[in-house]
Amino acid sequence: MSAETPASPEVRKENRFKVWRQTRPFWAGLFTILASVPIGYLPYGDVRLGNITLAMATTAGAGALIIGVLLFTLGLTMWFQPIVRVFAGVAAIVLGLVSIPVSNFGGLVIGFLFALIGGGMSAAWAPAPPVEETDDAEHDGEPVTSEETAYASDTEAETEAVMAAGVPEQAHGPATDTTIDAKGGRNSAG
């Protein structure tokens, strides 16, 4: 399969999402978004068990809602602005810690743990190094023959000869006491 061969639509969609996911702290953003749900919802939610209503409301409900919205926003920031991943990760950790006294022990500890995990993953994430093309990739996995290697080395030698002929050699003056080698590599001005 060469680069010009179009892929099927199923493979292309799958590869686009996979590439998108691998170029940003995807799992960190997901954990941070999941942390926002229990932290922001539990102070306002009610659990009904038959005729019994269990209210989780606290006096700091507005603070819990703000923390939940901020965590949700930080999770989206990790996905769509990966350049600020360290700031978003540290902010998620701080908000997770603040949610312990503000939002029912950090959303019953579930939201707190998700915020710490997501923030830590975001702060620790680094983009993958760029992939270098090899000679094998040009031949679609076929082994390189000795004729192709000889042709490539002849072409490179001709290219170097043409480049050398077109670029004049720079003149180097005589070494003096004021050159870089003098005085331990320090340059003297004056």
PDB file of all heavy atoms in Angstrom, residues 152-173:
ATOM      1  N   ALA A 152      21.949   5.164  -5.112  1.00  0.00           N
ATOM      2  CA  ALA A 152      21.771   6.235  -4.134  1.00  0.00           C
ATOM      3  C   ALA A 152      23.114   6.843  -3.748  1.00  0.00           C
ATOM      4  O   ALA A 152      23.241   8.066  -3.632  1.00  0.00           O
ATOM      5  CB  ALA A 152      21.052   5.704  -2.897  1.00  0.00           C
ATOM      6  N   SER A 153      24.153   6.017  -3.574  1.00  0.00           N
ATOM      7  CA  SER A 153      25.457   6.563  -3.196  1.00  0.00           C
ATOM      8  C   SER A 153      26.078   7.346  -4.354  1.00  0.00           C
ATOM      9  O   SER A 153      26.721   8.366  -4.134  1.00  0.00           O
ATOM     10  CB  SER A 153      26.392   5.444  -2.732  1.00  0.00           C
ATOM     11  OG  SER A 153      26.641   4.548  -3.812  1.00  0.00           O
ATOM     12  N   ASP A 154      25.885   6.896  -5.620  1.00  0.00           N
ATOM     13  CA  ASP A 154      26.385   7.649  -6.770  1.00  0.00           C
ATOM     14  C   ASP A 154      25.687   8.994  -6.876  1.00  0.00           C
ATOM     15  O   ASP A 154      26.317  10.014  -7.156  1.00  0.00           O
ATOM     16  CB  ASP A 154      26.177   6.852  -8.074  1.00  0.00           C
ATOM     17  CG  ASP A 154      27.094   5.636  -8.160  1.00  0.00           C
ATOM     18  OD1 ASP A 154      28.092   5.595  -7.408  1.00  0.00           O
ATOM     19  OD2 ASP A 154      26.802   4.738  -8.973  1.00  0.00           O
ATOM     20  N   THR A 155      24.380   9.011  -6.658  1.00  0.00           N
ATOM     21  CA  THR A 155      23.611  10.242  -6.736  1.00  0.00           C
ATOM     22  C   THR A 155      24.055  11.215  -5.649  1.00  0.00           C
ATOM     23  O   THR A 155      24.192  12.415  -5.908  1.00  0.00           O
ATOM     24  CB  THR A 155      22.107   9.943  -6.584  1.00  0.00           C
ATOM     25  OG1 THR A 155      21.746   8.946  -7.537  1.00  0.00           O
ATOM     26  CG2 THR A 155      21.274  11.182  -6.812  1.00  0.00           C
ATOM     27  N   GLU A 156      24.293  10.716  -4.445  1.00  0.00           N
ATOM     28  CA  GLU A 156      24.746  11.577  -3.355  1.00  0.00           C
ATOM     29  C   GLU A 156      26.127  12.151  -3.654  1.00  0.00           C
ATOM     30  O   GLU A 156      26.394  13.328  -3.389  1.00  0.00           O
ATOM     31  CB  GLU A 156      24.775  10.799  -2.040  1.00  0.00           C
ATOM     32  CG  GLU A 156      23.403  10.481  -1.495  1.00  0.00           C
ATOM     33  CD  GLU A 156      23.467   9.605  -0.250  1.00  0.00           C
ATOM     34  OE1 GLU A 156      24.566   9.379   0.289  1.00  0.00           O
ATOM     35  OE2 GLU A 156      22.402   9.142   0.175  1.00  0.00           O
ATOM     36  N   ALA A 157      27.030  11.349  -4.250  1.00  0.00           N
ATOM     37  CA  ALA A 157      28.373  11.827  -4.584  1.00  0.00           C
ATOM     38  C   ALA A 157      28.299  12.920  -5.640  1.00  0.00           C
ATOM     39  O   ALA A 157      29.015  13.929  -5.559  1.00  0.00           O
ATOM     40  CB  ALA A 157      29.240  10.671  -5.063  1.00  0.00           C
ATOM     41  N   GLU A 158      27.437  12.740  -6.656  1.00  0.00           N
ATOM     42  CA  GLU A 158      27.282  13.761  -7.686  1.00  0.00           C
ATOM     43  C   GLU A 158      26.712  15.045  -7.094  1.00  0.00           C
ATOM     44  O   GLU A 158      27.139  16.146  -7.436  1.00  0.00           O
ATOM     45  CB  GLU A 158      26.375  13.246  -8.800  1.00  0.00           C
ATOM     46  CG  GLU A 158      26.998  12.147  -9.638  1.00  0.00           C
ATOM     47  CD  GLU A 158      26.005  11.555 -10.628  1.00  0.00           C
ATOM     48  OE1 GLU A 158      24.882  12.086 -10.733  1.00  0.00           O
ATOM     49  OE2 GLU A 158      26.362  10.579 -11.289  1.00  0.00           O
ATOM     50  N   THR A 159      25.744  14.919  -6.203  1.00  0.00           N
ATOM     51  CA  THR A 159      25.139  16.087  -5.580  1.00  0.00           C
ATOM     52  C   THR A 159      26.160  16.850  -4.753  1.00  0.00           C
ATOM     53  O   THR A 159      26.231  18.080  -4.811  1.00  0.00           O
ATOM     54  CB  THR A 159      23.956  15.666  -4.691  1.00  0.00           C
ATOM     55  OG1 THR A 159      23.037  14.914  -5.477  1.00  0.00           O
ATOM     56  CG2 THR A 159      23.260  16.875  -4.099  1.00  0.00           C
ATOM     57  N   GLU A 160      26.995  16.129  -4.001  1.00  0.00           N
ATOM     58  CA  GLU A 160      28.020  16.782  -3.196  1.00  0.00           C
ATOM     59  C   GLU A 160      29.046  17.484  -4.083  1.00  0.00           C
ATOM     60  O   GLU A 160      29.508  18.574  -3.765  1.00  0.00           O
ATOM     61  CB  GLU A 160      28.713  15.760  -2.291  1.00  0.00           C
ATOM     62  CG  GLU A 160      27.837  15.269  -1.157  1.00  0.00           C
ATOM     63  CD  GLU A 160      28.508  14.184  -0.342  1.00  0.00           C
ATOM     64  OE1 GLU A 160      29.714  13.935  -0.525  1.00  0.00           O
ATOM     65  OE2 GLU A 160      27.805  13.577   0.474  1.00  0.00           O
ATOM     66  N   ALA A 161      29.397  16.880  -5.243  1.00  0.00           N
ATOM     67  CA  ALA A 161      30.364  17.496  -6.145  1.00  0.00           C
ATOM     68  C   ALA A 161      29.801  18.785  -6.731  1.00  0.00           C
ATOM     69  O   ALA A 161      30.503  19.797  -6.837  1.00  0.00           O
ATOM     70  CB  ALA A 161      30.745  16.521  -7.257  1.00  0.00           C
ATOM     71  N   VAL A 162      28.524  18.779  -7.095  1.00  0.00           N
ATOM     72  CA  VAL A 162      27.895  19.978  -7.654  1.00  0.00           C
ATOM     73  C   VAL A 162      27.803  21.057  -6.593  1.00  0.00           C
ATOM     74  O   VAL A 162      28.067  22.232  -6.854  1.00  0.00           O
ATOM     75  CB  VAL A 162      26.500  19.635  -8.230  1.00  0.00           C
ATOM     76  CG1 VAL A 162      25.729  20.892  -8.580  1.00  0.00           C
ATOM     77  CG2 VAL A 162      26.647  18.738  -9.440  1.00  0.00           C
ATOM     78  N   MET A 163      27.430  20.698  -5.400  1.00  0.00           N
ATOM     79  CA  MET A 163      27.310  21.676  -4.315  1.00  0.00           C
ATOM     80  C   MET A 163      28.678  22.267  -3.970  1.00  0.00           C
ATOM     81  O   MET A 163      28.795  23.456  -3.713  1.00  0.00           O
ATOM     82  CB  MET A 163      26.687  21.032  -3.075  1.00  0.00           C
ATOM     83  CG  MET A 163      25.244  20.629  -3.250  1.00  0.00           C
ATOM     84  SD  MET A 163      24.175  22.016  -3.578  1.00  0.00           S
ATOM     85  CE  MET A 163      24.144  22.735  -1.957  1.00  0.00           C
ATOM     86  N   ALA A 164      29.724  21.448  -3.978  1.00  0.00           N
ATOM     87  CA  ALA A 164      31.056  21.939  -3.642  1.00  0.00           C
ATOM     88  C   ALA A 164      31.585  22.873  -4.717  1.00  0.00           C
ATOM     89  O   ALA A 164      32.305  23.823  -4.433  1.00  0.00           O
ATOM     90  CB  ALA A 164      32.012  20.773  -3.436  1.00  0.00           C
ATOM     91  N   ALA A 165      31.234  22.603  -5.973  1.00  0.00           N
ATOM     92  CA  ALA A 165      31.711  23.445  -7.063  1.00  0.00           C
ATOM     93  C   ALA A 165      31.048  24.818  -7.028  1.00  0.00           C
ATOM     94  O   ALA A 165      31.644  25.817  -7.403  1.00  0.00           O
ATOM     95  CB  ALA A 165      31.443  22.768  -8.404  1.00  0.00           C
ATOM     96  N   GLY A 166      29.817  24.893  -6.558  1.00  0.00           N
ATOM     97  CA  GLY A 166      29.083  26.148  -6.565  1.00  0.00           C
ATOM     98  C   GLY A 166      29.349  27.027  -5.360  1.00  0.00           C
ATOM     99  O   GLY A 166      29.065  28.210  -5.375  1.00  0.00           O
ATOM    100  N   VAL A 167      29.923  26.506  -4.289  1.00  0.00           N
ATOM    101  CA  VAL A 167      30.144  27.270  -3.066  1.00  0.00           C
ATOM    102  C   VAL A 167      31.630  27.517  -2.904  1.00  0.00           C
ATOM    103  O   VAL A 167      32.413  26.574  -2.815  1.00  0.00           O
ATOM    104  CB  VAL A 167      29.600  26.507  -1.830  1.00  0.00           C
ATOM    105  CG1 VAL A 167      29.859  27.285  -0.563  1.00  0.00           C
ATOM    106  CG2 VAL A 167      28.125  26.222  -2.002  1.00  0.00           C
ATOM    107  N   PRO A 168      32.062  28.790  -2.892  1.00  0.00           N
ATOM    108  CA  PRO A 168      33.502  29.054  -2.730  1.00  0.00           C
ATOM    109  C   PRO A 168      33.939  28.727  -1.305  1.00  0.00           C
ATOM    110  O   PRO A 168      33.179  28.871  -0.360  1.00  0.00           O
ATOM    111  CB  PRO A 168      33.627  30.550  -3.015  1.00  0.00           C
ATOM    112  CG  PRO A 168      32.276  31.105  -2.728  1.00  0.00           C
ATOM    113  CD  PRO A 168      31.303  30.009  -3.061  1.00  0.00           C
ATOM    114  N   GLU A 169      35.166  28.277  -1.196  1.00  0.00           N
ATOM    115  CA  GLU A 169      35.699  27.943   0.126  1.00  0.00           C
ATOM    116  C   GLU A 169      36.068  29.229   0.847  1.00  0.00           C
ATOM    117  O   GLU A 169      36.605  30.159   0.253  1.00  0.00           O
ATOM    118  CB  GLU A 169      36.920  27.040  -0.033  1.00  0.00           C
ATOM    119  CG  GLU A 169      37.384  26.480   1.286  1.00  0.00           C
ATOM    120  CD  GLU A 169      38.430  25.408   1.093  1.00  0.00           C
ATOM    121  OE1 GLU A 169      38.345  24.680   0.103  1.00  0.00           O
ATOM    122  OE2 GLU A 169      39.311  25.324   1.939  1.00  0.00           O
ATOM    123  N   GLN A 170      35.794  29.286   2.124  1.00  0.00           N
ATOM    124  CA  GLN A 170      36.071  30.480   2.904  1.00  0.00           C
ATOM    125  C   GLN A 170      37.532  30.482   3.323  1.00  0.00           C
ATOM    126  O   GLN A 170      38.101  29.452   3.685  1.00  0.00           O
ATOM    127  CB  GLN A 170      35.169  30.516   4.131  1.00  0.00           C
ATOM    128  CG  GLN A 170      33.718  30.634   3.768  1.00  0.00           C
ATOM    129  CD  GLN A 170      32.832  30.702   4.996  1.00  0.00           C
ATOM    130  OE1 GLN A 170      33.315  30.669   6.107  1.00  0.00           O
ATOM    131  NE2 GLN A 170      31.538  30.802   4.763  1.00  0.00           N
ATOM    132  N   ALA A 171      38.106  31.664   3.283  1.00  0.00           N
ATOM    133  CA  ALA A 171      39.518  31.813   3.645  1.00  0.00           C
ATOM    134  C   ALA A 171      39.640  31.899   5.160  1.00  0.00           C
ATOM    135  O   ALA A 171      38.844  32.550   5.825  1.00  0.00           O
ATOM    136  CB  ALA A 171      40.092  33.066   3.003  1.00  0.00           C
ATOM    137  N   HIS A 172      40.607  31.208   5.695  1.00  0.00           N
ATOM    138  CA  HIS A 172      40.869  31.241   7.127  1.00  0.00           C
ATOM    139  C   HIS A 172      42.188  31.961   7.348  1.00  0.00           C
ATOM    140  O   HIS A 172      43.209  31.610   6.750  1.00  0.00           O
ATOM    141  CB  HIS A 172      40.957  29.817   7.699  1.00  0.00           C
ATOM    142  CG  HIS A 172      39.676  29.052   7.556  1.00  0.00           C
ATOM    143  ND1 HIS A 172      38.566  29.318   8.315  1.00  0.00           N
ATOM    144  CD2 HIS A 172      39.330  28.044   6.724  1.00  0.00           C
ATOM    145  CE1 HIS A 172      37.603  28.501   7.979  1.00  0.00           C
ATOM    146  NE2 HIS A 172      38.034  27.714   6.994  1.00  0.00           N
ATOM    147  N   GLY A 173      42.162  32.956   8.193  1.00  0.00           N
ATOM    148  CA  GLY A 173      43.366  33.733   8.472  1.00  0.00           C
ATOM    149  C   GLY A 173      44.299  32.987   9.402  1.00  0.00           C
ATOM    150  O   GLY A 173      43.962  31.931   9.944  1.00  0.00           O
TER     151      GLY A 173
END
